[in-house]
Amino acid sequence: MKNRKIIMIIATAAVVSLASLTFADPVIKLVLNGQELKTDVAPMPADNRVMVPMRVISEALGAKIDWDAKTNSVIIDSSALEAQKMRINLLEQALEPKTQLDAINSYAEAVKMRNGAWQYAIMSPALKKENYEGFVSFNWVTGTSSPWIESCEIKEQYKSNGTFRYEVDFTYTDSTNSKFAQKVYVTVKEFDGTWLISAIEGVDVKGKITKLTYEGKKLKSIFVEDDKPQVGTYDKATVLIGENTKIYKGYSDVELKPTDLKEGMQVEVDFVDGPMIMIYPPQAEAKTIRVIE
């Protein structure tokens, strides 16, 4: 374009959802994904709305914009974005596991490579929704550069009607050659001919139930102690029983009731994501409790 023109439009709800406007200062700032966008012409208030330069927003979002003087039109071309979406969709289709073993082996390798995009590609729709924001916040890179995963061992623990549950033991090491292991349980299910990861359970605390606390007749919490804790797990913790806490018999899908929990039982607990009381011993709500014996 020889004669550069600044196109001003009224910010729509779609734009406002992507770019937040700060009115605290006399000059209105345009912020996209936490980064301030610099503009030749500052956004301006008008009739309880905000007029913003369309070019800077469009280009920041990866679209091309041009001015057609013959038709007196602003031309926005987002075909590059659509092509990128299609490329990603085709890559994800190519990565879809054809067997349960493909799924669990792909998951283990993706974790080892710290490749969040690969992990996401082989998750079930529900698990994708649950983990999307976390992957984005870490820019699709998981784990740490040190310590790193040296190897992993996969053991089948349960299978029934298109559901397989595996224990995956990751062995970590670092530059000092020290080693430690961490365990996760990964559930693989069949979805329309494709095997996908439907659940991932960590082990935050494991050991023996030494105390049960009731609120009236309702079990409020259990206290779990482990005399031989592994790296990455607590040696003791207060485990809260929430409305959504799932209790299973061993590694199966057989559900138990809170009233089935007794002192002396060996359990493995995965806490819900989110804040927890970190006074020692820690206290948190259980996402899953598995009764091992």
Side-chain angles (χ1 to χ4, degrees):
M1 241 176 12
K2 293 183 179 179
N3 298 320
R4 186 163 181 261
K5 301 189 178 189
I6 303 296
I7 312 298
M8 305 295 292
I9 65 168
I10 297 176
T12 63
V15 172
V16 172
S17 68
L18 293 169
S20 61
L21 299 164
T22 305
F23 294 89
D25 298 327
V27 177
I28 297 173
K29 297 178 182 179
L30 187 61
V31 181
L32 175 65
N33 295 332
Q35 299 294 321
E36 183 178 352
L37 299 181
K38 300 298 182 181
T39 63
D40 293 338
V41 178
M44 298 181 298
D47 297 328
N48 295 321
R49 300 178 182 236
V50 178
M51 304 286 286
V52 298
M54 188 173 183
R55 174 178 297 281
V56 69
I57 294 177
S58 297
E59 292 181 347
L61 293 174
K64 295 181 180 179
I65 185 169
D66 208 345
W67 169 255
D68 189 336
K70 293 182 180 180
T71 61
N72 201 35
S73 303
V74 177
I75 309 298
I76 301 175
D77 182 359
S78 63
S79 58
L81 294 176
E82 294 304 316
Q84 185 179 47
K85 289 180 182 178
M86 178 58 71
R87 178 174 62 86
I88 292 172
N89 287 337
L90 291 173
L91 285 172
E92 288 193 350
Q93 289 178 27
L95 290 171
E96 287 181 349
K98 305 306 179 187
T99 70
Q100 70 274 15
L101 291 177
D102 287 342
I104 189 61
N105 287 327
S106 293
Y107 170 77
E109 188 63 22
V111 173
K112 186 176 179 180
M113 294 176 63
R114 303 172 57 208
N115 189 328
W118 189 3
Q119 295 170 50
Y120 182 82
I122 58 177
M123 287 181 173
S124 67
L127 199 58
K128 281 183 175 180
K129 183 177 180 180
E130 181 182 331
N131 287 276
Y132 178 78
E133 290 185 3
F135 281 124
V136 171
S137 67
F138 288 103
N139 202 25
W140 300 96
V141 177
T142 60
T144 59
S145 57
S146 181
W148 60 88
I149 296 174
E150 180 182 65
S151 63
C152 72
E153 183 180 1
I154 300 171
K155 305 172 187 175
E156 182 183 299
Q157 295 285 5
Y158 173 80
K159 63 179 178 180
S160 175
N161 299 325
T163 297
F164 290 78
R165 184 163 295 110
Y166 297 92
E167 176 185 322
V168 184
D169 295 297
F170 292 106
T171 299
Y172 288 78
T173 189
D174 57 21
S175 57
T176 66
N177 289 323
S178 61
K179 300 180 188 294
F180 67 91
Q182 282 192 338
K183 177 193 304 183
V184 294
Y185 296 108
V186 181
T187 302
V188 179
K189 288 188 177 182
E190 186 177 10
F191 294 83
D192 298 325
T194 300
W195 293 86
L196 300 173
I197 307 300
S198 63
I200 302 169
E201 300 172 31
V203 179
D204 291 304
V205 63
K206 65 181 183 65
K208 183 184 297 186
I209 299 176
T210 58
K211 182 180 179 182
L212 294 92
T213 301
Y214 289 86
E215 194 172 76
K217 294 183 178 181
K218 185 177 181 180
L219 181 62
K220 179 182 178 182
S221 67
I222 59 175
F223 193 75
V224 178
E225 296 186 71
D226 184 6
D227 56 0
K228 295 181 180 179
Q230 296 180 334
V231 174
T233 64
Y234 298 104
D235 64 337
K236 59 184 68 175
T238 298
V239 179
L240 303 179
I241 312 297
E243 293 296 328
N244 297 316
T245 298
K246 296 292 185 181
I247 306 171
Y248 296 103
K249 182 178 181 180
Y251 304 110
S252 73
D253 287 335
V254 177
E255 290 197 39
L256 302 176
K257 298 177 182 179
T259 52
D260 293 321
L261 297 177
K262 307 295 180 183
E263 287 189 17
M265 282 183 169
Q266 292 287 333
V267 295
E268 293 183 346
V269 181
D270 182 25
F271 291 144
V272 298
D273 295 331
M276 60 186 297
I277 299 177
M278 289 303 294
I279 56 174
Y280 188 79
Q283 175 178 308
E285 182 178 330
K287 182 178 180 180
T288 60
I289 299 173
R290 292 195 175 273
V291 179
I292 308 305
E293 59 178 54

